[in-house]
Amino acid sequence: MKIIESTPENLERAGEVIRNGGLVVMPTETVYGLAADALDAKAVEKIYAAKGRPASNPLIVHVADWGTVEEIAYPTDLAKRLADKFWPGPLTLVLAKKPVVPKETTAGLDSVAVRMPAHPVAQGLIKAAGRPLAAPSANAFTRLSPTRAEDVGDLLGVELILQGGPCEVGIESTVVDCRREEPIVLRPGQISLEQLQAVVPTTRSGAASEKVRAPGHHSRHYAPRTTIRMALRIGSEETGLTFQSPQNSRQIQMPVDPAGYAAELYHALHALDEVGAEYLVVEEPPREPGWDAIWDRLTRATS
Ligand code: TXA
Ligand code: MG
């Protein structure tokens, strides 16, 4: 792996890689992303090749200022209200796209997903490159998203991995389609439906309806290589995630609050994936509001 410290010099170097059409792994506050120039179709094609990602799965474009949003998309008033409240941060807004965004970036859709990440290294890379950055999570297709630079696996054609420490949020951003008066949550994340409704009361969840599910949001996703199942309690000899004191060295005790749990989840599963267990057990988290995004990821990981 080519992990480098995110010094100003290295950010300049990484920005040049992006301008030359190359791939850089960057930290964000949610998960590490595999970044390329979002407006360069050839560069974006390298992302799909590196991940083995189907061409039907659109990418999120990362920006460092509102002006860039207006250059690449047609923001609605309510999108602006959500951005004012939650950006920079773990919220992605789906907007009608402008022609400058190549079809490779949006998988042929006439919409584009935009996010302003809060992580200073992500912001630094966007500024150093001087380009909006298309960046999916830096994992092979259907595998676990990395939340540590060390968890980024081998990805074809990646020139650099920027060190940014552990991701604070730990699960992917909330994705909201903002093109109509009723914003629709396409992917749950740390920013909850209730928080969105406090800003735009007409916001609703899209999870119940297949039709409005996010494209590329496959039911089997976010999975370790080892088979994984859910249980109320983990057995004393089993390997997995627990809320109790661990009963053996292959059990990891998870935080009992959803934010703490999310921050640890992928790294814990990455670690347990290495122990060579026959299967992993994840104890069911509470069925309470605040745990929706965690349930979403665990359901996909175990499907
Ligand atoms: O937190 C995150 O969002 C991370 C970091 C790196 O920013 N990125 C991320 O990207 O999770 P990715 O590629 O793993 O997920 C992108 C998802 C797509 O699978 C799709 O569900 C949704 O975002 N998406 C992207 N463009 C869309 C569009 N035009 N319309 C609807 N959904 C879209
Ligand atoms: Mg992903």
Side-chain angles (χ1 to χ4, degrees), residues 51 53 137 139 145 172 187 221-222:
K51 284 183 60 104
R53 180 178 174 113
S137 47
N139 53 288
S145 302
E172 301 82 353
R187 179 174 74 182
H221 207 157
Y222 314 107

Side-chain angles (χ1 to χ4, degrees), residues 76-116:
T76 52
D77 286 346
L78 56 89
K80 181 78 171 75
R81 271 153 59 202
L82 292 174
D84 282 345
K85 173 76 181 175
F86 297 109
W87 278 7
L91 178 67
T92 295
L93 306 174
V94 173
L95 301 167
K97 88 171 190 75
K98 289 189 173 170
V100 65
V101 184
K103 64 177 187 328
E104 286 77 5
T105 302
T106 63
L109 298 174
D110 54 11
S111 58
V112 60
V114 193
R115 172 162 113 78
M116 189 185 292

